[in-house]
Amino acid sequence: MKKPSSYIVSLVLSVITVFVTLALMGTMVVFIHATPEKAISLAQDKQTAPMILNELESYFKDRTSSSGIPTNVYTDAVSESLIRDIRDQQIRDGFMFMKSGNTSDGIADLDKLDESLEQFFSSYASENGIEKDKKYDTALEKAQTSARKVVSEKCDIYKMSSLRSHGVLKKVGVIYRDLVYIIAGLFGAAAVLILLLILTCRKEKRSVLYWLGVSCLIAGAVGTIPSAILLGTGYFNSFSIKQPSVFTAYTSAMNGLTSAFMAASIAVTAVGIAMLIVYGVLLSKEKTVTPTDVSNVSK
């Protein structure tokens, strides 16, 4: 029978293994799925570029009465392909900032938008006898700067610029850029825990399977149940985000990460069950004593 001290040590090691396993699952999911390529692919799959175009058209249309600038002056100069380029660049910039603290030189080329506004202002000035003086240049520059800013903000569906300006990306980046080392450390910790279990259970080696199986089973359940509840209740779909493209991007990303974590948890649960089955088989074989075995013991 296992000594009480060995049992307590095994129990403690098993509990620690649960937390290490959960941490390892979480970091692995983030490492694999939280990448610019995955984020861009998701944005493409969810058709966010047409959404952004509609949002821009609605935005400029609502301001036509106050600005006096027709909606088509903006929309004719912004194509869906340009929207995709700016959107993808915003995503890459966000991840680049987390990895290195740097960003690219700026958003994609919007010279066509500047030219469209310049042509409108020039035509309007000519038709209404307005002199192209310093006041004219200031108004044109203000309109161009405002338009560029609006397009950039609408294309930033993951709100990378806002997160960067509020210091969120800087804090997250401290962990994100060291994910490889964190994962390596967790694998190392798991290896050490298994080795300690083997040493603790050296007189009853099969019980290592039991403790590891229980740890995996608990870690898998802890990961699977909350994930299933979040996905089943549509928790992320209840986010109150008014901008459709941002809502789609964030809810899809959160649902995707949760699904990936749940899949990893189910896999770990299956491993735990398999270990417990093997342990049960080994235990039953040891307890089964055949007549031949009894006679051999008597001799």
Side-chain angles (χ1 to χ4, degrees):
M1 187 175 179
K2 185 184 286 292
K3 294 180 180 179
S5 58
S6 298
Y7 182 86
I8 293 173
V9 172
S10 298
L11 179 61
V12 171
L13 291 173
S14 180
V15 171
I16 297 173
T17 302
V18 170
F19 290 106
V20 171
T21 303
L22 285 168
L24 190 53
M25 287 192 299
T27 50
M28 285 292 290
V29 166
V30 172
F31 181 75
I32 294 171
H33 294 276
T35 65
E37 294 76 19
K38 292 280 187 180
I40 290 172
S41 177
L42 183 63
Q44 291 173 345
D45 292 342
K46 297 300 179 180
Q47 297 292 311
T48 56
M51 294 182 192
I52 296 169
L53 271 178
N54 290 334
E55 291 164 13
L56 284 170
E57 184 176 359
S58 177
Y59 178 89
F60 290 123
K61 186 177 181 180
D62 290 342
R63 281 153 184 77
T64 297
S65 58
S66 59
S67 67
I69 303 174
T71 307
N72 67 294
V73 172
Y74 301 99
T75 55
D76 290 350
V78 181
S79 63
E80 189 171 316
S81 60
L82 179 60
I83 291 296
R84 285 196 296 268
D85 290 342
I86 299 173
R87 177 199 64 193
D88 296 350
Q89 188 174 334
Q90 294 276 22
I91 294 171
R92 292 191 189 95
D93 276 358
F95 281 94
M96 184 190 299
F97 185 82
M98 285 193 290
K99 288 182 178 179
S100 63
N102 300 316
T103 59
S104 62
D105 295 333
I107 62 174
D109 186 13
L110 284 172
D111 289 345
K112 191 174 180 180
L113 178 60
D114 288 342
E115 291 172 3
S116 182
L117 283 165
E118 187 175 355
Q119 289 175 3
F120 169 77
F121 269 72
S122 180
S123 299
Y124 185 85
S126 299
E127 292 171 2
N128 294 275
I130 298 174
E131 184 181 353
K132 295 181 180 180
D133 53 10
K134 187 176 180 180
K135 185 177 180 180
Y136 168 88
D137 292 335
T138 301
L140 173 59
E141 184 179 354
K142 184 179 179 181
Q144 290 173 331
T145 301
S146 176
R148 281 175 167 269
K149 183 180 179 181
V150 170
V151 172
S152 176
E153 289 177 349
K154 294 294 183 181
C155 291
D156 191 8
I157 58 175
Y158 290 105
K159 293 301 175 186
M160 293 295 191
S161 296
S162 298
L163 293 173
R164 184 168 64 246
S165 63
H166 286 88
V168 176
L169 289 188
K170 186 176 182 180
K171 293 177 181 178
V172 174
V174 174
I175 299 173
Y176 185 80
R177 69 177 63 101
D178 291 331
L179 270 179
V180 173
Y181 303 107
I182 294 172
I183 291 171
L186 289 169
F187 269 116
V192 170
L193 287 168
I194 293 172
L195 179 60
L196 290 173
L197 269 173
I198 292 172
L199 292 174
T200 304
C201 305
R202 59 187 177 276
K203 293 183 179 180
E204 195 179 351
K205 291 185 174 59
R206 67 175 181 279
S207 60
V208 173
L209 288 171
Y210 170 79
W211 289 112
L212 289 178
V214 169
S215 296
C216 289
L217 191 61
I218 294 173
V222 170
T224 301
I225 295 172
S227 298
I229 292 173
L230 289 173
L231 294 172
T233 58
Y235 175 78
F236 300 114
N237 295 329
S238 63
F239 284 179
S240 56
I241 301 175
K242 294 181 179 180
Q243 193 173 333
S245 58
V246 176
F247 175 84
T248 300
Y250 266 96
T251 55
S252 299
M254 295 305 296
N255 282 322
L257 288 172
T258 305
S259 296
F261 185 72
M262 186 171 73
S265 300
I266 292 172
V268 169
T269 302
V271 171
I273 293 172
M275 286 183 176
L276 291 174
I277 291 173
V278 173
Y279 170 76
V281 170
L282 293 176
L283 186 63
S284 63
K285 282 185 177 180
E286 184 175 309
K287 289 183 177 181
T288 302
V289 181
T290 63
T292 304
D293 295 327
V294 175
S295 61
N296 288 335
V297 172
S298 301
K299 290 179 183 180

